[in-house]
Amino acid sequence: MIYSEWMSYIKDDVKLCNVVMPSAHNAGSFKMKPIACCQDGDLTQQFNYGIRHFCVRIDTDKNGQIVFCHGITKGLPFEPEMEKFRKVMDEHPSEFFILDLREYQPQKLGPFNLRFHADPKKVDEILERTIEPSKYAFTDFENIGDVTMGDMRKSGKRYIMINYCEEYKYSVNCPHILPWEKKRHGKHAHEFVAEATEFFDTNDTSGFYWFQTQQTPNLGTDIGVVFPRKLDKALRWHFKALINTIANTPRYLARANIIAGDFMTEDFFKVREILNLNLNKDNVIENKRDEYKNRLKTCT
């Protein structure tokens, strides 16, 4: 299926920061309570659906085990899922991904001060036992904006692990932005979609541009506190229009890179729309354009 190997269609000379890649917002939130669940499929399923940027947040449970988290909600143990993820890595050597791995910053919720912690030494041990960053993490670059797909392929590396504090042995703090505004991301779907692409006008980076297409439920916003799944159902009606705005606006298309969303494995709809932007950006190998387009359309 093309979604598990779509990067093999991208030209060598395309900058990694210009590749349009689907992202899973809160990728580790599968099987969490409805208020915290943003994805249905696990990391392996997400990969097979075309996700190449994984937003993963971790914490420690009461037994001292490193687990996925979304805010105060704790999820499945981290290590077994990374073991499974290593298998899909090995099965698809043409593919590269970005792992945005971190703890949440301390937060204040009313009178409560919330803290999140996953011992970096334990995390490093888990990572080395599973996805082997000493062998597969790409760190040998000065400017991520200069790295091409060909550079990644020649390196033999498989992923970049982003962590703004460089807490883990092979993590990097390369330039990346994720524009977000509580008020704008808290608007109703049709209003959010009409305004979301304006982030491309007001934010720029020499590195990864992480565009957030999911709404964010919050007190004091138009949508208030709503389960992510309900928000996603409403947003899906407008998602194609959102992507079309990017495709038809040259300055937006030029900056399109990582495009994140919730419930990315419900079907292939969101990922297909996102990956089609690589055709608009002329990122696809010339004699494979038709094959890429047709296979995306037929999900084969």
Side-chain angles (χ1 to χ4, degrees):
M1 181 173 287
I2 189 173
Y3 292 91
S4 62
E5 59 182 20
W6 66 263
M7 279 188 161
S8 65
Y9 287 81
I10 305 300
K11 298 174 184 176
D12 273 343
D13 63 354
V14 175
K15 302 284 180 64
L16 194 60
C17 293
N18 284 327
V19 177
V20 185
M21 61 185 81
S23 165
H25 168 246
N26 275 308
S29 63
F30 50 94
K31 295 190 178 180
M32 288 186 186
K33 297 174 181 177
I35 193 64
C37 181
C38 298
Q39 304 295 336
D40 287 323
D42 62 18
L43 300 185
T44 295
Q45 290 170 303
Q46 291 170 28
F47 185 97
N48 284 327
Y49 269 70
I51 304 304
R52 294 297 178 270
H53 176 274
F54 298 85
C55 160
V56 174
R57 304 294 172 258
I58 51 177
D59 197 1
T60 305
D61 68 10
K62 61 184 179 182
N63 298 315
Q65 186 170 218
I66 307 296
V67 295
F68 293 113
C69 74
H70 180 185
I72 61 173
T73 304
K74 293 179 174 58
L76 294 177
F78 180 60
E79 183 164 4
E81 294 302 318
M82 296 309 289
E83 286 174 349
K84 292 193 296 184
F85 192 65
R86 171 57 187 269
K87 185 170 185 269
V88 80
M89 250 180 69
D90 290 342
E91 290 171 347
H92 301 288
S94 68
E95 306 304 291
F96 313 93
F97 62 93
I98 301 168
L99 178 63
D100 187 302
L101 181 66
R102 65 178 92 163
E103 305 165 356
Y104 279 99
Q105 290 282 3
Q107 300 174 15
K108 188 172 179 61
L109 184 63
F112 302 103
N113 292 311
L114 306 176
R115 296 190 175 276
F116 310 87
H117 181 63
D119 184 345
K121 288 186 177 180
K122 287 186 178 180
V123 175
D124 278 334
E125 290 169 0
I126 291 171
L127 291 171
E128 195 57 40
R129 285 196 295 267
T130 54
I131 62 173
E132 285 189 274
S134 61
K135 182 177 181 181
Y136 292 114
F138 186 62
T139 60
D140 188 18
F141 58 89
E142 291 185 9
N143 182 354
I144 192 61
D146 293 333
V147 175
T148 66
M149 288 293 290
D151 294 332
M152 288 292 293
R153 287 166 176 148
K154 290 174 187 174
S155 74
K157 306 300 183 180
R158 302 297 305 283
Y159 57 87
I160 292 174
M161 182 162 53
I162 295 177
N163 181 276
Y164 62 96
C165 293
E166 298 184 4
E167 294 173 285
Y168 315 119
K169 274 187 183 178
Y170 298 92
S171 58
V172 294
N173 182 25
C174 56
H176 65 288
I177 57 170
L178 51 155
W180 179 86
E181 291 177 7
K182 178 178 177 179
K183 184 176 179 181
R184 189 178 303 185
H185 279 82
K187 288 182 177 291
H188 293 291
H190 66 284
E191 296 173 304
F192 168 69
V193 165
E195 297 183 22
T197 51
E198 293 175 6
F199 282 119
F200 287 114
D201 287 321
T202 55
N203 295 267
D204 194 14
T205 178
S206 61
F208 294 118
Y209 195 118
W210 182 1
F211 179 60
Q212 308 277 319
T213 69
Q214 71 284 343
Q215 297 158 277
T216 310
N218 261 308
L219 291 171
T221 63
D222 291 350
I223 57 175
V225 179
V226 186
F227 288 176
R229 191 181 303 277
K230 183 176 180 179
L231 292 173
D232 187 65
K233 292 295 184 187
L235 183 68
R236 280 175 178 265
W237 289 98
H238 305 276
F239 191 80
K240 190 176 181 68
L242 177 65
I243 299 301
N244 282 343
T245 299
I246 296 172
N248 296 322
T249 310
R251 66 185 185 277
Y252 297 166
L253 184 63
R255 293 182 179 179
N257 178 208
I258 298 165
I259 300 184
D262 287 344
F263 302 105
M264 298 297 281
T265 62
E266 179 174 323
D267 51 40
F268 290 97
F269 167 63
K270 284 187 178 181
V271 172
R272 180 173 62 245
E273 295 301 316
I274 293 168
L275 289 180
N276 271 323
L277 290 174
N278 283 308
L279 292 165
N280 297 88
K281 293 190 76 165
D282 196 28
N283 287 342
V284 179
I285 297 168
E286 194 62 38
N287 63 2
K288 291 189 175 183
R289 285 176 61 87
D290 288 342
E291 181 182 331
Y292 179 88
K293 182 177 180 179
N294 292 332
R295 288 187 69 191
L296 287 179
K297 192 183 299 182
T298 57
C299 300
T300 61

